[in-house]
Amino acid sequence: MADKKKRVQNLIARNLSDIIIYDLKSELCQLASVNEVRVTNDYSHAKVYVTHLDRERIEPLLKFLNSRKGQIRSMLSSKMDIYCLLYTSPSPRDTR
């Protein structure tokens, strides 16, 4: 279970890095970095730790990202490769 959680955290961090640096197209995001992502046990919430190489730009970066969190969330959901499968019928093995 811990391996799956770590894989999900790494996948979120990688996709968020791409979104922040390449998709948001802001000069403020050019030297930003996602340091860590922590996901709750039920995968419903994630806490993302972001920093900037220029210390004076950390606060403006956080304000910018918080103002665009809905856009970032929808971009992240379209990039994620995680699927939830719901089986509503018995498997062929169970019907024998």
Side-chain angles (χ1 to χ4, degrees):
M1 184 71 158
D3 291 335
K4 179 181 177 184
K5 187 175 181 179
K6 182 139 324 251
R7 281 194 314 265
V8 169
Q9 291 176 158
N10 288 336
L11 182 63
I12 292 172
R14 190 170 349 129
N15 285 327
L16 278 177
S17 291
D18 289 344
I19 289 169
I20 291 170
I21 293 171
Y22 301 115
D23 295 340
L24 291 181
K25 296 186 182 7
S26 171
E27 289 205 18
L28 191 58
C29 297
Q30 291 295 323
L31 298 174
S33 148
V34 175
N35 291 348
E36 185 179 357
V37 174
R38 292 185 185 167
V39 178
T40 58
N41 289 335
D42 63 352
Y43 302 102
S44 63
H45 296 287
K47 186 176 269 194
V48 180
Y49 295 90
V50 180
T51 191
H52 197 283
L53 291 178
D54 183 6
R55 289 189 184 269
E56 296 170 356
R57 291 185 156 196
I58 292 174
E59 285 299 318
L61 173 68
L62 292 177
K63 287 180 184 177
F64 175 77
L65 293 176
N66 281 324
S67 71
R68 298 249 178 2
K69 62 185 171 185
Q71 178 187 9
I72 294 169
R73 199 177 288 138
S74 67
M75 293 169 95
L76 179 64
S77 69
S78 67
K79 286 186 178 233
M80 293 294 286
D81 295 332
I82 298 173
Y83 294 98
C84 178
L85 299 176
L86 176 63
Y87 294 103
T88 57
S89 61
S91 69
R93 190 173 41 175
D94 294 337
T95 58
R96 292 184 202 168

